[in-house]
Amino acid sequence: MLIAVTGATGFVGGRVVASLAHGGHDVLAFGRRPRPAFQHADLAEYMPWDIAQGPRPALSSRPIDAVVHCAGTVTDWGPAAEFEAVNARGTEAVLSSFRSEARFIHISTSSVYDHRRPAGPIVEMAAYARRPLNGYVRTKILAEQAVMRSGRQAVILRPHAIYGPGETKLLPRLLAARRFGRLLAVGDGHNRISLTHIDNLVQVIERALEPNAPTGVFNVADSDAERLGVLLRALLLAFGLPPEVLYLPRGAAWPIAWILESAFAAARASRPPLLSRYVVSQLASDSVLDIRRAQRMLGYQPTRSYRDAFPEVARAAATYAATKLA
């Protein structure tokens, strides 16, 4: 097939481009960064495109068979206007840039679920967040709704905490919370959390692209959810650090996060506070995704987990650091 991939210079988009190209597909890659920033020029044709600026033609003489929409602003902190332009209106721009017959794979997030939900595995029919904690959650909900309204053959994938070699946001931010030899965390470490290895996400995307694959909304995560304390200690050990974690109870963390957010917003800070209500909601509650629908309907079989991936991530980080120092 001829497949368009947005966000191709990002962590997820770049892995999708490489996997599809190695699988024999022709790939048109799009990203907001200039052409030299695209690492897979030998595998795909790359065209710069800032989706916040609106639609653009695909520039291909062949009809696009499918679109994998990975582009987006992925952070819990930033100007509301940027989230709106990239995640909400940007998704609408992508939808209008490709023919309606093209299958549409939209990479969303499990953050769209209401963090006040009852405890238990989260199924795809769970309610959207009623009062989103930030612009990221609000605009990812709007993006999903735009895809649903489009009437396309669409698949919406909701991963949680995507990680793997080359990921530069989630795990580095966690490790940056170490103070005085201990990792600072919220809650008590007993809550269970689903993670999504990048290889597992790419597998689901490829299965969703298969002819006659079902459409709809699917959770995507590793096979087993683990307790937060176990995950944090495994991460620290993989990086050769003492597995010492100091927990701030959720009841105390929430008002502190609110105060920090208010102060950072008043100062128009460009970087996020160390603690935000979004971080508290993600780390101090059960966040277990029910993936049985993806397994049953798409044939999804997770092959990677934190047990083998955390050491791999640590090795990749060490290689990257050594390269930067050289």
Side-chain angles (χ1 to χ4, degrees):
M1 293 191 292
L2 178 60
I3 303 172
V5 178
T6 68
T9 55
F11 172 55
V12 174
R15 292 292 290 268
V16 170
V17 167
S19 184
L20 292 177
H22 286 307
H25 298 290
D26 295 327
V27 181
L28 288 176
F30 298 91
R32 75 170 88 182
R33 299 177 187 175
R35 195 179 305 272
F38 182 58
Q39 298 180 347
H40 303 291
D42 57 330
L43 299 176
E45 180 181 357
Y46 180 74
M47 286 174 275
W49 176 23
D50 183 352
I51 62 175
Q53 301 302 313
R56 66 161 290 171
L59 301 180
S60 172
S61 58
R62 288 173 54 192
I64 302 293
D65 296 303
V67 179
V68 183
H69 179 37
C70 304
T73 295
V74 184
T75 176
D76 62 326
W77 189 260
E82 180 180 350
F83 288 116
E84 182 73 28
V86 178
N87 292 348
R89 294 198 304 274
T91 296
E92 294 175 350
V94 174
L95 285 164
S96 62
S97 295
F98 300 98
R99 65 192 189 106
S100 59
E101 294 82 4
R103 192 173 185 83
F104 199 88
I105 313 299
H106 177 64
I107 310 304
S108 186
T109 170
S110 65
S111 294
V112 300
Y113 294 122
D114 196 331
H115 71 277
R116 302 175 184 86
R117 63 188 176 271
I122 308 169
V123 297
E124 289 80 0
M125 292 76 75
Y128 279 137
R130 290 168 290 174
R131 293 189 295 276
L133 293 173
N134 54 36
Y136 171 66
V137 176
R138 183 179 63 82
T139 54
K140 292 300 282 187
I141 293 173
L142 292 176
E144 281 199 6
Q145 291 172 336
V147 174
M148 294 174 183
R149 288 195 307 269
S150 70
R152 290 172 173 267
Q153 287 192 348
V155 174
I156 295 174
L157 301 178
R158 294 173 176 166
H160 183 257
I162 304 170
Y163 70 104
E167 190 275 324
T168 60
K169 292 183 178 180
L170 174 65
L171 299 187
R173 184 172 176 182
L174 282 174
L175 291 171
R178 291 185 73 244
R179 296 291 186 276
F180 308 109
R182 289 186 175 186
L183 179 64
L184 302 181
V186 293
D188 58 14
H190 294 155
N191 54 303
R192 296 170 62 228
I193 292 182
S194 289
L195 301 179
T196 307
H197 192 284
I198 182 63
D199 290 352
N200 291 334
L201 177 58
V202 170
Q203 180 201 144
V204 174
I205 292 170
E206 293 179 339
R207 291 184 180 275
L209 288 168
E210 294 177 357
N212 303 316
T215 58
V217 180
F218 301 90
N219 289 334
V220 186
D222 300 350
S223 57
D224 296 318
E226 186 58 91
R227 295 190 183 279
L228 175 66
V230 174
L231 292 172
L232 294 180
R233 289 193 295 272
L235 178 64
L236 291 168
L237 287 170
F239 277 81
L241 299 170
E244 300 293 334
V245 184
L246 179 63
Y247 293 97
L248 179 65
R250 180 188 175 104
W254 191 267
I256 292 174
W258 186 87
I259 292 171
L260 288 174
E261 286 183 47
S262 300
F264 273 58
R268 300 181 182 275
S270 58
R271 63 183 180 87
L274 180 62
L275 192 63
S276 68
R277 291 171 298 162
Y278 177 80
V279 169
V280 175
S281 71
Q282 293 295 303
L283 291 184
S285 305
D286 281 334
S287 296
V288 180
L289 296 182
D290 186 333
I291 61 173
R292 289 177 295 179
R293 191 166 187 267
Q295 291 175 310
R296 183 178 68 254
M297 298 180 65
L298 295 176
Y300 170 50
Q301 294 296 330
T303 59
R304 304 299 305 276
S305 80
Y306 77 92
R307 293 177 180 86
D308 62 276
F310 280 2
E312 184 182 39
V313 170
R315 289 193 296 271
T319 301
Y320 176 77
T323 302
K324 296 293 285 186
L325 291 173

Short mmCIF file of all heavy atoms in Angstrom, two decimals, residues 173-191 193 227-233 235-236 243-254 256-257 274-276 278-285:
data_model
loop_
_atom_site.label_atom_id
_atom_site.label_comp_id
_atom_site.label_asym_id
_atom_site.label_seq_id
_atom_site.Cartn_x
_atom_site.Cartn_y
_atom_site.Cartn_z
N ARG A 173 11.81 12.10 32.19
CA ARG A 173 11.17 12.99 33.16
C ARG A 173 11.02 12.30 34.52
O ARG A 173 11.20 12.93 35.56
CB ARG A 173 9.80 13.44 32.64
CG ARG A 173 9.12 14.44 33.55
CD ARG A 173 7.88 15.01 32.93
NE ARG A 173 7.17 15.90 33.84
CZ ARG A 173 6.03 16.50 33.55
NH1 ARG A 173 5.48 16.33 32.35
NH2 ARG A 173 5.43 17.28 34.43
N LEU A 174 10.73 11.02 34.50
CA LEU A 174 10.66 10.28 35.76
C LEU A 174 12.00 10.29 36.47
O LEU A 174 12.09 10.55 37.67
CB LEU A 174 10.20 8.85 35.50
CG LEU A 174 8.71 8.61 35.26
CD1 LEU A 174 8.47 7.16 34.88
CD2 LEU A 174 7.90 8.97 36.50
N LEU A 175 13.06 9.99 35.72
CA LEU A 175 14.39 9.93 36.32
C LEU A 175 14.84 11.30 36.82
O LEU A 175 15.62 11.40 37.78
CB LEU A 175 15.39 9.38 35.32
CG LEU A 175 15.21 7.89 34.96
CD1 LEU A 175 16.11 7.51 33.80
CD2 LEU A 175 15.49 7.01 36.16
N ALA A 176 14.35 12.36 36.18
CA ALA A 176 14.72 13.72 36.60
C ALA A 176 14.14 14.07 37.96
O ALA A 176 14.55 15.07 38.58
CB ALA A 176 14.26 14.73 35.57
N ALA A 177 13.20 13.26 38.45
CA ALA A 177 12.58 13.53 39.75
C ALA A 177 13.39 12.97 40.92
O ALA A 177 12.92 12.99 42.05
CB ALA A 177 11.16 12.94 39.78
N ARG A 178 14.61 12.48 40.66
CA ARG A 178 15.43 11.97 41.75
C ARG A 178 16.02 13.12 42.56
O ARG A 178 16.51 14.10 42.01
CB ARG A 178 16.57 11.09 41.22
CG ARG A 178 16.11 9.78 40.64
CD ARG A 178 17.28 8.91 40.24
NE ARG A 178 17.98 8.35 41.40
CZ ARG A 178 19.22 8.63 41.73
NH1 ARG A 178 19.93 9.48 41.02
NH2 ARG A 178 19.79 8.07 42.79
N ARG A 179 15.94 12.99 43.87
CA ARG A 179 16.52 13.98 44.77
C ARG A 179 17.21 13.25 45.93
O ARG A 179 16.63 12.36 46.53
CB ARG A 179 15.45 14.92 45.33
CG ARG A 179 14.74 15.79 44.30
CD ARG A 179 15.68 16.85 43.73
NE ARG A 179 14.97 17.78 42.85
CZ ARG A 179 14.69 17.56 41.57
NH1 ARG A 179 15.10 16.41 41.01
NH2 ARG A 179 14.06 18.45 40.85
N PHE A 180 18.47 13.64 46.21
CA PHE A 180 19.20 13.08 47.35
C PHE A 180 19.24 11.55 47.30
O PHE A 180 19.08 10.88 48.32
CB PHE A 180 18.60 13.56 48.67
CG PHE A 180 18.45 15.05 48.75
CD1 PHE A 180 17.21 15.65 48.70
CD2 PHE A 180 19.57 15.86 48.85
CE1 PHE A 180 17.06 17.02 48.76
CE2 PHE A 180 19.44 17.25 48.91
CZ PHE A 180 18.20 17.83 48.87
N GLY A 181 19.42 11.01 46.08
CA GLY A 181 19.56 9.56 45.94
C GLY A 181 18.27 8.78 45.92
O GLY A 181 18.30 7.55 45.88
N ARG A 182 17.13 9.49 45.95
CA ARG A 182 15.84 8.80 45.92
C ARG A 182 14.96 9.37 44.80
O ARG A 182 15.04 10.57 44.50
CB ARG A 182 15.10 8.96 47.25
CG ARG A 182 15.71 8.18 48.41
CD ARG A 182 14.83 8.28 49.63
NE ARG A 182 15.32 7.46 50.73
CZ ARG A 182 14.67 7.30 51.87
NH1 ARG A 182 13.51 7.91 52.07
NH2 ARG A 182 15.17 6.53 52.83
N LEU A 183 14.17 8.50 44.24
CA LEU A 183 13.21 8.94 43.23
C LEU A 183 11.94 9.40 43.94
O LEU A 183 11.37 8.67 44.75
CB LEU A 183 12.88 7.79 42.27
CG LEU A 183 11.86 8.09 41.18
CD1 LEU A 183 12.39 9.16 40.22
CD2 LEU A 183 11.52 6.82 40.40
N LEU A 184 11.50 10.62 43.63
CA LEU A 184 10.28 11.14 44.22
C LEU A 184 9.09 10.70 43.38
O LEU A 184 9.09 10.87 42.16
CB LEU A 184 10.33 12.67 44.30
CG LEU A 184 11.50 13.27 45.10
CD1 LEU A 184 11.39 14.79 45.11
CD2 LEU A 184 11.51 12.73 46.52
N ALA A 185 8.06 10.15 44.02
CA ALA A 185 6.87 9.70 43.33
C ALA A 185 5.64 10.05 44.17
O ALA A 185 5.75 10.48 45.32
CB ALA A 185 6.92 8.19 43.07
N VAL A 186 4.47 9.87 43.58
CA VAL A 186 3.23 10.18 44.29
C VAL A 186 2.43 8.90 44.50
O VAL A 186 2.59 7.91 43.79
CB VAL A 186 2.38 11.22 43.51
CG1 VAL A 186 3.10 12.55 43.47
CG2 VAL A 186 2.09 10.73 42.09
N GLY A 187 1.55 8.94 45.50
CA GLY A 187 0.75 7.77 45.82
C GLY A 187 1.44 6.91 46.86
O GLY A 187 2.11 7.41 47.76
N ASP A 188 1.31 5.59 46.69
CA ASP A 188 1.98 4.67 47.61
C ASP A 188 2.70 3.53 46.89
O ASP A 188 3.28 2.65 47.53
CB ASP A 188 0.97 4.10 48.61
CG ASP A 188 -0.19 3.36 47.93
OD1 ASP A 188 -0.08 3.06 46.72
OD2 ASP A 188 -1.20 3.11 48.60
N GLY A 189 2.66 3.53 45.55
CA GLY A 189 3.35 2.51 44.77
C GLY A 189 2.58 1.22 44.58
O GLY A 189 3.04 0.32 43.88
N HIS A 190 1.38 1.12 45.18
CA HIS A 190 0.62 -0.13 45.10
C HIS A 190 -0.35 -0.16 43.92
O HIS A 190 -0.89 -1.23 43.60
CB HIS A 190 -0.15 -0.35 46.40
CG HIS A 190 0.73 -0.58 47.58
ND1 HIS A 190 0.35 -0.31 48.88
CD2 HIS A 190 2.01 -1.03 47.66
CE1 HIS A 190 1.34 -0.59 49.71
NE2 HIS A 190 2.36 -1.04 48.99
N ASN A 191 -0.62 0.99 43.32
CA ASN A 191 -1.55 1.03 42.20
C ASN A 191 -0.92 0.40 40.96
O ASN A 191 0.29 0.46 40.75
CB ASN A 191 -1.97 2.47 41.90
CG ASN A 191 -0.80 3.40 41.69
OD1 ASN A 191 0.06 3.52 42.57
ND2 ASN A 191 -0.73 4.04 40.54
N ILE A 193 -0.45 -0.03 36.84
CA ILE A 193 -0.39 0.87 35.68
C ILE A 193 -0.04 0.07 34.43
O ILE A 193 0.88 -0.74 34.44
CB ILE A 193 0.64 1.99 35.90
CG1 ILE A 193 0.17 2.93 37.01
CG2 ILE A 193 0.90 2.77 34.62
CD1 ILE A 193 1.11 4.08 37.26
N ARG A 227 2.43 -3.05 39.32
CA ARG A 227 2.35 -2.04 40.36
C ARG A 227 3.41 -0.97 40.12
O ARG A 227 4.53 -1.26 39.69
CB ARG A 227 2.54 -2.68 41.74
CG ARG A 227 1.42 -3.64 42.11
CD ARG A 227 1.51 -4.08 43.56
NE ARG A 227 0.47 -5.05 43.88
CZ ARG A 227 -0.79 -4.74 44.17
NH1 ARG A 227 -1.16 -3.45 44.18
NH2 ARG A 227 -1.68 -5.67 44.45
N LEU A 228 3.03 0.28 40.42
CA LEU A 228 3.92 1.40 40.16
C LEU A 228 5.27 1.21 40.86
O LEU A 228 6.32 1.47 40.26
CB LEU A 228 3.27 2.71 40.64
CG LEU A 228 4.15 3.96 40.54
CD1 LEU A 228 4.45 4.28 39.09
CD2 LEU A 228 3.48 5.14 41.24
N GLY A 229 5.25 0.77 42.10
CA GLY A 229 6.51 0.59 42.83
C GLY A 229 7.44 -0.38 42.15
O GLY A 229 8.66 -0.16 42.10
N VAL A 230 6.89 -1.46 41.62
CA VAL A 230 7.71 -2.46 40.91
C VAL A 230 8.31 -1.84 39.66
O VAL A 230 9.50 -2.04 39.34
CB VAL A 230 6.86 -3.69 40.56
CG1 VAL A 230 7.65 -4.67 39.70
CG2 VAL A 230 6.37 -4.37 41.83
N LEU A 231 7.50 -1.06 38.92
CA LEU A 231 7.98 -0.43 37.69
C LEU A 231 9.11 0.56 37.99
O LEU A 231 10.13 0.57 37.29
CB LEU A 231 6.83 0.30 36.99
CG LEU A 231 5.73 -0.57 36.39
CD1 LEU A 231 4.58 0.29 35.91
CD2 LEU A 231 6.27 -1.42 35.24
N LEU A 232 8.93 1.39 39.01
CA LEU A 232 9.94 2.39 39.32
C LEU A 232 11.25 1.76 39.77
O LEU A 232 12.34 2.20 39.36
CB LEU A 232 9.41 3.35 40.38
CG LEU A 232 8.22 4.22 39.96
CD1 LEU A 232 7.79 5.11 41.11
CD2 LEU A 232 8.54 5.05 38.72
N ARG A 233 11.16 0.73 40.60
CA ARG A 233 12.39 0.06 41.04
C ARG A 233 13.09 -0.62 39.87
O ARG A 233 14.33 -0.59 39.77
CB ARG A 233 12.06 -0.93 42.15
CG ARG A 233 11.67 -0.27 43.48
CD ARG A 233 11.67 -1.28 44.61
NE ARG A 233 10.65 -2.30 44.44
CZ ARG A 233 9.40 -2.19 44.86
NH1 ARG A 233 8.99 -1.08 45.45
NH2 ARG A 233 8.53 -3.18 44.67
N LEU A 235 13.00 0.32 36.77
CA LEU A 235 13.59 1.38 35.96
C LEU A 235 14.91 1.86 36.57
O LEU A 235 15.92 2.01 35.87
CB LEU A 235 12.61 2.54 35.83
CG LEU A 235 13.09 3.76 35.04
CD1 LEU A 235 13.34 3.38 33.59
CD2 LEU A 235 12.07 4.89 35.12
N LEU A 236 14.91 2.10 37.87
CA LEU A 236 16.12 2.56 38.53
C LEU A 236 17.25 1.53 38.41
O LEU A 236 18.41 1.87 38.13
CB LEU A 236 15.83 2.86 40.00
CG LEU A 236 14.93 4.08 40.26
CD1 LEU A 236 14.47 4.10 41.71
CD2 LEU A 236 15.66 5.37 39.91
N PRO A 243 17.54 1.48 43.98
CA PRO A 243 16.08 1.40 43.83
C PRO A 243 15.33 1.99 45.01
O PRO A 243 14.50 1.33 45.64
CB PRO A 243 15.83 -0.10 43.69
CG PRO A 243 16.92 -0.73 44.50
CD PRO A 243 18.12 0.16 44.33
N GLU A 244 15.63 3.24 45.32
CA GLU A 244 15.03 3.92 46.46
C GLU A 244 13.97 4.89 45.96
O GLU A 244 14.27 5.78 45.15
CB GLU A 244 16.09 4.66 47.28
CG GLU A 244 17.19 3.77 47.83
CD GLU A 244 16.68 2.82 48.89
OE1 GLU A 244 15.66 3.13 49.55
OE2 GLU A 244 17.29 1.75 49.06
N VAL A 245 12.74 4.73 46.46
CA VAL A 245 11.63 5.59 46.03
C VAL A 245 10.98 6.21 47.26
O VAL A 245 10.68 5.50 48.24
CB VAL A 245 10.57 4.80 45.23
CG1 VAL A 245 9.48 5.73 44.73
CG2 VAL A 245 11.23 4.05 44.06
N LEU A 246 10.76 7.50 47.22
CA LEU A 246 10.08 8.22 48.30
C LEU A 246 8.74 8.71 47.79
O LEU A 246 8.68 9.44 46.79
CB LEU A 246 10.92 9.41 48.78
CG LEU A 246 10.31 10.26 49.89
CD1 LEU A 246 10.14 9.44 51.16
CD2 LEU A 246 11.18 11.49 50.14
N TYR A 247 7.65 8.29 48.45
CA TYR A 247 6.30 8.60 47.96
C TYR A 247 5.68 9.77 48.73
O TYR A 247 5.78 9.85 49.96
CB TYR A 247 5.39 7.37 48.10
CG TYR A 247 5.78 6.23 47.19
CD1 TYR A 247 6.56 5.18 47.66
CD2 TYR A 247 5.39 6.21 45.87
CE1 TYR A 247 6.93 4.13 46.83
CE2 TYR A 247 5.74 5.17 45.02
CZ TYR A 247 6.51 4.14 45.51
OH TYR A 247 6.88 3.11 44.68
N LEU A 248 5.03 10.65 47.96
CA LEU A 248 4.23 11.72 48.52
C LEU A 248 2.76 11.29 48.40
O LEU A 248 2.30 11.04 47.29
CB LEU A 248 4.46 13.03 47.74
CG LEU A 248 3.67 14.26 48.19
CD1 LEU A 248 4.09 14.67 49.60
CD2 LEU A 248 3.89 15.41 47.21
N PRO A 249 2.04 11.18 49.52
CA PRO A 249 0.64 10.71 49.44
C PRO A 249 -0.19 11.55 48.48
O PRO A 249 0.00 12.77 48.37
CB PRO A 249 0.15 10.85 50.89
CG PRO A 249 1.38 10.79 51.72
CD PRO A 249 2.46 11.46 50.91
N ARG A 250 -1.12 10.89 47.81
CA ARG A 250 -1.95 11.58 46.83
C ARG A 250 -2.68 12.77 47.46
O ARG A 250 -2.80 13.84 46.85
CB ARG A 250 -2.97 10.60 46.23
CG ARG A 250 -3.90 11.25 45.20
CD ARG A 250 -5.02 10.31 44.77
NE ARG A 250 -5.94 11.01 43.89
CZ ARG A 250 -6.00 10.86 42.58
NH1 ARG A 250 -5.17 10.04 41.98
NH2 ARG A 250 -6.88 11.53 41.86
N GLY A 251 -3.19 12.60 48.68
CA GLY A 251 -3.94 13.67 49.33
C GLY A 251 -3.12 14.93 49.51
O GLY A 251 -3.65 16.05 49.47
N ALA A 252 -1.82 14.78 49.72
CA ALA A 252 -0.94 15.94 49.85
C ALA A 252 -0.45 16.41 48.49
O ALA A 252 -0.22 17.61 48.28
CB ALA A 252 0.25 15.58 50.73
N ALA A 253 -0.27 15.47 47.54
CA ALA A 253 0.29 15.82 46.23
C ALA A 253 -0.67 16.69 45.41
O ALA A 253 -0.23 17.59 44.69
CB ALA A 253 0.63 14.55 45.47
N TRP A 254 -1.97 16.42 45.53
CA TRP A 254 -2.93 17.14 44.67
C TRP A 254 -2.92 18.64 44.93
O TRP A 254 -2.77 19.44 43.98
CB TRP A 254 -4.32 16.55 44.85
CG TRP A 254 -5.31 17.03 43.83
CD1 TRP A 254 -6.15 18.08 43.93
CD2 TRP A 254 -5.52 16.47 42.53
NE1 TRP A 254 -6.89 18.23 42.79
CE2 TRP A 254 -6.53 17.24 41.91
CE3 TRP A 254 -4.97 15.39 41.83
CZ2 TRP A 254 -7.00 16.99 40.63
CZ3 TRP A 254 -5.44 15.13 40.56
CH2 TRP A 254 -6.44 15.91 39.97
N ILE A 256 -0.58 20.46 46.32
CA ILE A 256 0.74 20.98 45.98
C ILE A 256 0.85 21.16 44.46
O ILE A 256 1.37 22.18 43.97
CB ILE A 256 1.84 20.04 46.50
CG1 ILE A 256 1.88 20.06 48.03
CG2 ILE A 256 3.20 20.42 45.92
CD1 ILE A 256 2.84 19.04 48.63
N ALA A 257 0.34 20.19 43.71
CA ALA A 257 0.36 20.27 42.24
C ALA A 257 -0.44 21.47 41.76
O ALA A 257 -0.03 22.19 40.83
CB ALA A 257 -0.17 18.98 41.63
N LEU A 274 7.49 20.25 38.26
CA LEU A 274 7.85 18.86 38.54
C LEU A 274 6.61 18.04 38.86
O LEU A 274 6.54 16.85 38.52
CB LEU A 274 8.84 18.81 39.71
CG LEU A 274 9.32 17.42 40.12
CD1 LEU A 274 10.06 16.74 38.97
CD2 LEU A 274 10.22 17.51 41.36
N LEU A 275 5.62 18.68 39.48
CA LEU A 275 4.40 17.98 39.86
C LEU A 275 3.20 18.74 39.31
O LEU A 275 3.09 19.95 39.49
CB LEU A 275 4.31 17.90 41.39
CG LEU A 275 3.25 16.96 41.98
CD1 LEU A 275 3.53 15.52 41.59
CD2 LEU A 275 3.23 17.11 43.49
N SER A 276 2.32 18.05 38.62
CA SER A 276 1.08 18.63 38.12
C SER A 276 -0.07 17.70 38.48
O SER A 276 0.14 16.53 38.80
CB SER A 276 1.14 18.81 36.59
OG SER A 276 1.16 17.55 35.93
N TYR A 278 -2.14 16.47 36.49
CA TYR A 278 -2.15 15.41 35.48
C TYR A 278 -1.19 14.28 35.89
O TYR A 278 -1.53 13.10 35.82
CB TYR A 278 -1.76 15.98 34.12
CG TYR A 278 -1.66 14.96 33.02
CD1 TYR A 278 -2.81 14.49 32.37
CD2 TYR A 278 -0.43 14.46 32.60
CE1 TYR A 278 -2.73 13.56 31.35
CE2 TYR A 278 -0.34 13.53 31.59
CZ TYR A 278 -1.49 13.08 30.97
OH TYR A 278 -1.40 12.15 29.96
N VAL A 279 0.01 14.66 36.34
CA VAL A 279 0.98 13.65 36.78
C VAL A 279 0.43 12.87 37.97
O VAL A 279 0.54 11.64 38.03
CB VAL A 279 2.32 14.32 37.13
CG1 VAL A 279 3.24 13.33 37.85
CG2 VAL A 279 2.99 14.87 35.89
N VAL A 280 -0.19 13.58 38.91
CA VAL A 280 -0.77 12.90 40.07
C VAL A 280 -1.84 11.92 39.63
O VAL A 280 -1.90 10.78 40.09
CB VAL A 280 -1.35 13.93 41.07
CG1 VAL A 280 -2.06 13.21 42.21
CG2 VAL A 280 -0.24 14.82 41.62
N SER A 281 -2.72 12.36 38.72
CA SER A 281 -3.81 11.49 38.27
C SER A 281 -3.29 10.26 37.55
O SER A 281 -3.89 9.18 37.63
CB SER A 281 -4.77 12.26 37.36
OG SER A 281 -4.18 12.54 36.09
N GLN A 282 -2.16 10.40 36.85
CA GLN A 282 -1.61 9.29 36.08
C GLN A 282 -0.82 8.31 36.94
O GLN A 282 -0.84 7.10 36.70
CB GLN A 282 -0.70 9.83 34.96
CG GLN A 282 -1.41 10.62 33.89
CD GLN A 282 -2.37 9.78 33.08
OE1 GLN A 282 -1.98 8.77 32.49
NE2 GLN A 282 -3.63 10.15 33.04
N LEU A 283 -0.13 8.81 37.95
CA LEU A 283 0.77 7.97 38.72
C LEU A 283 0.19 7.46 40.04
O LEU A 283 0.66 6.45 40.56
CB LEU A 283 2.07 8.73 39.03
CG LEU A 283 3.00 9.03 37.85
CD1 LEU A 283 4.26 9.69 38.34
CD2 LEU A 283 3.32 7.76 37.07
N ALA A 284 -0.81 8.14 40.58
CA ALA A 284 -1.32 7.76 41.90
C ALA A 284 -2.63 7.00 41.84
O ALA A 284 -3.25 6.74 42.88
CB ALA A 284 -1.47 9.00 42.78
N SER A 285 -3.07 6.62 40.64
CA SER A 285 -4.33 5.88 40.49
C SER A 285 -4.09 4.63 39.65
O SER A 285 -3.11 4.55 38.90
CB SER A 285 -5.39 6.75 39.80
OG SER A 285 -5.59 7.96 40.47
#
